[in-house]
Amino acid sequence: MDYTTQMDAAKKGIITKEMEVVAEKERMDIEVLRSRIAEGKIVIPANKKHNSLSPEGIGEGLKTKINVNLGISRDCPNVDAELEKVKSAIDMDVEAIMDLSSFGKTEEFRRRLVEMSSAIVGTVPVYDAVGFYDKELKDITSKEFLDVARKHGEDGVDFITVHAGMNRRTAEVFKKNNRVTNIVSRGGSLLYAWMELNNKENPFYEYYDELLDICEEYDMTISLGDALRPGSIEDGTDGPQIEELIVLGELAKRAWERNVQVMIEGPGHIAIEEIEANVLLEKKLCCGAPFYVLGPIVTDIAPGYDHITSAIGGAIAASSGADFLCYVTPAEHLRLPDLDDMKEGIIASKIAAHVGDLAKGLPGAKEWDLEMSKARRKLDWEKMFSLAIDEEKARRYRKESTPEHEDSCTMCGKMCSVRNMNRIMDGKDINILRNDD
């Protein structure tokens, strides 16, 4: 092999098989794709050991992708049950699955996930460290944190989230700001606690070069986590968040010097009018690196409905230039999502991503909507079902409430505007009350 990573190949003018797959999926000129990978504006997370992967690109000019968070925990440690969710997520054509496992048979779950997943697989090594070493957080060493990252690389993980922007300087900025919700990032809070308990620098920041060695070896993309993302509307776009973003931009450049691919993670809870500015800030401060947003959730008052609040934010973020949406389920803030929660979260995120793609004018986006509109005009129910983002639900709703006349639904019956306009435009009579056809 004449290259170490996708970025290294791109810089050398080499077209990889992964680039060929992505270019075909995206209808993008392969030289444009290659050049943007070389610049860091597109990533193809593809660990050399992930043999079941169907490669996807994330970044400028590509379809907005979505990520699904899964994984076992102390309260829900059943590996097989969680893998059933994985199968469903893959069947629903998600582009990425993040394993957020934090307890129990994490290695077994991760390896089985990578083995079966055609989707990109991501992890957060700091979550795994406590269970892996069976140690309290304070007692884990810097080297041990890095060794977990290496273990994930060996297991075939395509990208890892590391909260390397939470350094001592960023932490001081946080301390000086009276935040309503402090630090809501799980990884960020763990690393902040570790730093405070040990009076040391964040190991992923202090030993960032060693981390880059690991990522380069396996071609594992780094997703630079936003440890100080806002957890409430009140904390949105504040000093700590922006301070960390500046550091993430610096770390992205250091990764690119080593040919390691990078994504930047973005805000969680944020006011709707601030979303576009946040995307612009990330693209500017991080030199066009792909932006991976966690929602964003646009109001704090809707537990049980945060798949909706995040879909609103995700649509605006995607239309403003965000590249990758982390799904949010109705269970957000409340519990581990069950299978139905996961499905609702996936559909909501898919809708948001498509809305963004329409705004971006990406190939095929508008055509999909146009085909649906044509099918509706013709009252071609089978075509409508086949085009629906959730075909199963569309079919079920139709079946559960069958109309008297096939060319209508139970909402309007023979007053259906589409039916009646078709008849009038064809020179026919409208028979709302009569029983003839």
Side-chain angles (χ1 to χ4, degrees):
M1 186 182 291
D2 296 325
Y3 59 90
T4 56
T5 67
Q6 295 291 324
M7 177 173 257
D8 183 38
K11 288 180 179 178
K12 291 175 176 176
I14 298 171
I15 301 295
T16 67
K17 64 181 187 297
E18 290 82 7
M19 292 180 202
E20 290 174 347
V21 171
V22 170
E24 183 174 353
K25 285 182 177 180
E26 300 284 348
R27 306 185 198 176
M28 176 176 278
D29 180 271
I30 200 160
E31 276 301 317
V32 173
L33 177 70
R34 183 200 60 76
S35 67
R36 289 180 185 172
I37 294 170
E39 294 170 339
K41 294 179 178 178
I42 289 177
V43 298
I44 301 179
N47 188 308
K48 298 168 186 176
K49 294 195 169 188
H50 188 176
N51 297 319
S52 59
L53 177 69
S54 177
E56 296 284 354
I58 301 168
E60 184 179 309
L62 304 182
K63 292 191 290 285
T64 308
K65 307 305 188 298
I66 71 163
N67 171 71
V68 170
N69 290 336
L70 297 170
I72 55 175
S73 67
R74 181 179 290 272
D75 290 316
C76 301
N78 190 317
V79 170
D80 289 331
E82 205 65 10
L83 285 171
E84 283 302 310
K85 294 183 196 174
V86 171
K87 291 175 184 175
S88 292
I90 292 170
D91 287 343
M92 293 178 75
D93 296 321
V94 302
E95 289 88 12
I97 297 173
M98 280 200 81
D99 172 15
L100 304 189
S101 295
S102 58
F103 181 82
K105 298 178 180 179
T106 57
E107 184 174 18
E108 177 190 342
F109 179 78
R110 182 171 60 252
R111 287 182 169 180
R112 289 175 68 182
L113 168 60
V114 171
E115 182 180 1
M116 69 189 290
S117 180
S118 56
I120 298 164
V121 173
T123 59
V124 188
V126 70
Y127 294 176
D128 191 29
V130 175
F132 182 78
Y133 292 114
D134 194 22
K135 286 183 177 182
E136 285 298 334
L137 177 68
K138 179 179 183 294
D139 299 324
I140 300 173
T141 67
S142 297
K143 181 180 182 300
E144 286 173 332
F145 278 123
L146 290 175
D147 285 345
V148 170
R150 178 176 291 281
K151 186 75 181 68
H152 288 203
E154 291 173 352
D155 288 343
V157 169
D158 301 299
F159 75 92
I160 52 171
T161 290
V162 290
H163 300 86
M166 166 64 83
N167 59 17
R168 297 294 288 270
R169 186 181 77 204
T170 311
E172 286 303 312
V173 175
F174 160 71
K175 290 176 185 178
K176 293 175 182 177
N177 284 263
N178 185 24
R179 275 187 155 193
V180 173
T181 47
N182 290 318
I183 298 173
V184 298
S185 159
R186 192 195 326 179
S189 66
L190 290 171
L191 284 168
Y192 178 82
W194 186 92
M195 292 162 63
E196 291 291 296
L197 292 168
N198 290 286
N199 194 29
K200 289 183 178 179
E201 181 59 277
N202 179 345
F204 292 112
Y205 181 80
E206 184 173 6
Y207 300 103
Y208 190 62
D209 287 334
E210 287 84 346
L211 180 65
L212 294 178
D213 289 338
I214 296 168
C215 292
E216 183 181 21
E217 180 179 350
Y218 298 101
D219 196 2
M220 195 160 51
T221 299
I222 293 182
S223 186
L224 289 170
D226 50 341
L228 291 173
R229 69 175 181 266
S232 62
I233 299 300
E234 185 66 25
D235 294 338
T237 323
D238 67 355
Q241 178 195 336
I242 302 307
E243 175 68 26
E244 182 183 31
L245 185 61
I246 293 169
V247 177
L248 298 185
E250 296 167 355
L251 293 173
K253 292 174 187 175
R254 286 174 59 184
W256 290 334
E257 289 170 0
R258 296 286 302 278
N259 296 319
V260 172
Q261 301 183 100
V262 172
M263 296 185 290
I264 307 294
E265 295 188 12
H269 293 239
I270 195 161
I272 197 167
E273 73 273 12
E274 296 179 12
I275 294 173
E276 184 177 2
N278 270 257
V279 177
L280 178 63
L281 275 171
E282 184 276 338
K283 292 292 182 179
K284 187 72 173 178
L285 294 174
C286 302
C287 303
F291 197 22
Y292 173 24
V293 294
L294 311 180
I297 291 173
V298 294
T299 179
D300 302 329
I301 63 165
Y305 298 91
D306 277 324
H307 60 310
I308 297 173
T309 65
S310 70
I312 294 168
I316 294 169
S319 66
S320 301
D323 309 287
F324 195 20
L325 306 182
C326 186
Y327 93 147
V328 174
T329 77
E332 184 78 7
H333 303 110
L334 300 171
R335 69 175 189 197
L336 186 78
D338 64 17
L339 183 60
D340 288 337
D341 295 328
M342 182 198 75
K343 289 180 177 179
E344 285 195 56
I346 289 173
I347 294 300
S349 294
K350 278 178 167 282
I351 293 168
H354 179 65
V355 169
D357 291 348
L358 281 170
K360 293 173 184 173
L362 294 183
K366 185 177 180 180
E367 287 78 4
W368 187 4
D369 284 66
L370 180 59
E371 287 303 305
M372 176 63 87
S373 296
K374 289 178 178 177
R376 282 187 172 139
R377 176 176 173 174
K378 294 177 182 177
L379 293 168
D380 184 343
W381 297 100
E382 282 302 315
K383 184 69 170 178
M384 284 187 260
F385 295 148
S386 69
L387 289 167
I389 204 163
D390 184 353
E391 179 176 352
E392 183 277 330
K393 187 172 186 178
R395 287 185 179 277
R396 175 165 54 84
Y397 270 39
R398 175 76 175 169
K399 186 176 181 180
E400 288 175 350
S401 188
T402 306
E404 181 182 0
H405 299 275
E406 181 63 23
D407 61 348
S408 66
C409 75
T410 54
M411 177 69 183
C412 299
K414 291 174 75 175
M415 286 190 182
C416 172
S417 59
V418 177
R419 172 188 183 274
N420 290 332
M421 283 304 301
N422 285 345
R423 294 177 72 89
I424 287 292
M425 297 297 283
D426 289 340
K428 297 179 181 178
D429 188 15
I430 296 177
N431 57 339
I432 295 173
L433 299 179
R434 300 190 309 273
N435 289 327
D436 57 321
D437 77 341

